[in-house]
Amino acid sequence: MRTATTIEASAGDRWREHVDFVVEAEKLGLDVCWVAEAWGSDGPSALGFYAARTDRMLLGSGIMQVGTRTPVAVAQTAITLSNLSDGRFLLGLGASGPQVIEGLHGVPFARPLARMRETVEIVRRVQDGGKISYSGAEFQIPWSGGDAVPMRLSMRAHHPIPIYLATLSPSMLRLTGEIADGWLGTSFVPEGAAGAYFRYLDEGLAGRGRSRADLDVCQGAEVAFAPDEDELRRMVAGRKKELAFSLGGMGSASTNFYNKAYSRQGWAEIAAEVRERWQAGDRDGAAALVTDDMVLGTTLIGTEPMVRERLRVWRDAGVNTVRLYPAGDTLDARLSTLAKAIDLVREIGSSS
């Protein structure tokens, strides 16, 4: 497995610490650094900064939100970052959710599947370097009814730009299998992944005559090492409110893709109750419903032997790139956690 991490660009008061983390992570041998923008800082600005400070590591948008930029603007950004980094850029795209897309950007969230498909098609046409002419259900280029004629960018992509999709729903997973180079997954339980995720990815792959080997499966989770069982119990208890937020607070009152993903992996009843409590304002009550198994099943938290074994399970389930979110209260602590996790990934790779 390759190793990756994600930087939250929205934590804007920690720029210096973030760049130090990225530079040191490359020295540790990390393969990929993804940059998330969520509802804070934009991702591409940070990616350009990190490209200037690194030499080897791949850099990816994890994710740029479809709907907040035109497809051609997405392509321009991707080509610029790829050329600036000498081909080290990976384009990660996601639909986000109605709360961010509609509540923050004022753009309708309607038809995200069609918007995603057409965005990827247009981005690839722009990368090919020809004049851009596209007629779809969501996008018309040039705009119909005007006097404009097709144009091409005045710059060219000097390197291939792999496209990764961050998807959770069955229809989006099928689309990922059809058209993407990689899948940025989350809420991943390897024991339930075959039915919750891979069946839909494989359907999309098969529809285009592709196989799992054509798709980089990139899964992420927090990694933390507990020195003993007592500390592990405290760590697990501390993560329950974070998981309750994903189940109850992410998305809108009617749309929560994280909740649905957990439901497909065997926790439908608990996920529904957590969401109900959270939406009613009972955050502590929602967190109390989250079980230890839910935390341990979707993270890489445990004693060192536990984390080593979970990494093997992830590898055997079909994960190609493991995205590590290292725990720690300081920069040195996070780097220490990351270094230990990278060593474990290398260890299980050499023993496979």
Side-chain angles (χ1 to χ4, degrees):
M1 288 190 295
R2 294 192 306 179
T3 56
T5 194
T6 294
I7 297 295
E8 297 289 344
S10 58
D13 58 340
R14 297 165 59 190
W15 291 116
R16 175 53 54 191
E17 181 178 321
H18 278 178
V19 74
D20 289 344
F21 177 86
V22 171
V23 170
E24 293 303 316
E26 182 178 56
K27 293 177 183 177
L28 292 173
L30 192 77
D31 297 303
V32 189
C33 179
W34 297 93
V35 176
E37 60 184 13
W39 48 90
S41 166
D42 77 290
S45 296
L47 282 161
F49 187 38
Y50 301 148
R53 297 296 304 274
T54 56
D55 300 303
R56 176 197 54 81
M57 187 166 56
L58 298 176
L59 300 166
S61 57
I63 58 164
M64 287 174 61
Q65 299 154 346
V66 172
T68 63
R69 302 168 175 88
T70 69
V72 174
V74 171
Q76 288 176 296
T77 301
I79 293 171
T80 301
L81 288 169
S82 178
N83 290 352
L84 281 173
S85 64
D86 291 327
R88 293 187 288 129
F89 179 67
L90 309 174
L91 175 60
L93 300 173
S96 189
Q99 181 57 52
V100 172
I101 298 301
E102 297 179 348
L104 182 63
H105 294 285
V107 178
F109 186 68
R111 302 178 300 278
L113 183 71
R115 182 178 289 172
M116 181 71 82
R117 181 187 294 277
E118 293 187 14
T119 295
V120 172
E121 290 176 353
I122 294 168
V123 166
R124 285 185 169 144
R125 291 193 186 188
V126 174
Q127 290 179 34
D128 288 342
K131 291 186 177 181
I132 307 156
S133 179
Y134 188 88
S135 179
E138 299 298 311
F139 301 104
Q140 298 284 326
I141 306 174
W143 179 254
S144 59
D147 296 329
V149 297
M151 297 176 61
R152 62 167 58 90
L153 294 189
S154 60
M155 60 188 294
R156 298 289 182 270
H158 300 319
H159 313 275
I161 304 175
I163 296 178
Y164 286 65
L165 299 186
T167 54
L168 284 171
S169 70
S171 59
M172 281 289 199
L173 289 164
R174 290 190 191 95
L175 180 67
T176 302
E178 286 182 40
I179 68 174
D181 300 296
W183 173 46
L184 291 172
T186 187
S187 307
F188 182 79
V189 183
E191 291 83 359
Y197 298 116
F198 287 125
R199 62 174 289 191
Y200 306 112
L201 288 169
D202 289 342
E203 287 171 5
L205 288 164
R208 290 295 178 91
R210 306 204 306 160
S211 70
R212 195 80 67 79
D214 298 309
L215 188 74
D216 179 27
V217 174
C218 180
Q219 274 296 337
E222 180 183 5
V223 58
F225 296 96
D228 53 48
E229 294 294 332
D230 289 339
E231 180 61 23
L232 176 59
R233 281 190 287 271
R234 286 191 287 270
M235 291 168 64
V236 169
R239 271 55 174 194
K240 290 186 176 181
K241 196 160 190 177
E242 298 171 9
L243 181 49
F245 169 67
S246 293
L247 295 171
M250 291 292 285
S252 67
S254 60
T255 305
N256 184 319
F257 298 114
Y258 299 91
N259 191 289
K260 292 178 180 178
Y262 275 86
S263 296
R264 294 201 307 271
Q265 295 177 100
W267 290 303
E269 185 175 338
I270 295 175
E273 292 178 4
V274 169
R275 182 177 184 178
E276 183 177 343
R277 291 277 186 95
W278 189 278
Q279 291 291 325
D282 183 7
R283 308 298 166 79
D284 292 336
L289 292 171
V290 176
T291 67
D292 291 359
D293 286 345
M294 293 176 75
V295 174
L296 292 172
T298 53
T299 64
L300 294 167
I301 294 175
T303 62
E304 185 171 326
M306 288 174 62
V307 174
R308 181 187 290 108
E309 181 56 33
R310 289 305 287 172
L311 284 168
R312 287 196 180 99
V313 172
W314 278 45
R315 178 199 63 190
D316 295 344
V319 175
N320 308 115
T321 302
V322 58
R323 203 164 67 252
L324 304 162
Y325 301 91
D329 295 328
T330 66
L331 173 62
D332 287 344
R334 287 193 295 276
L335 287 170
S336 177
T337 301
L338 181 63
K340 185 180 291 189
I342 290 173
D343 285 345
L344 288 180
V345 173
R346 289 171 178 163
E347 178 185 323
I348 68 169
S350 63
S351 64
S352 59

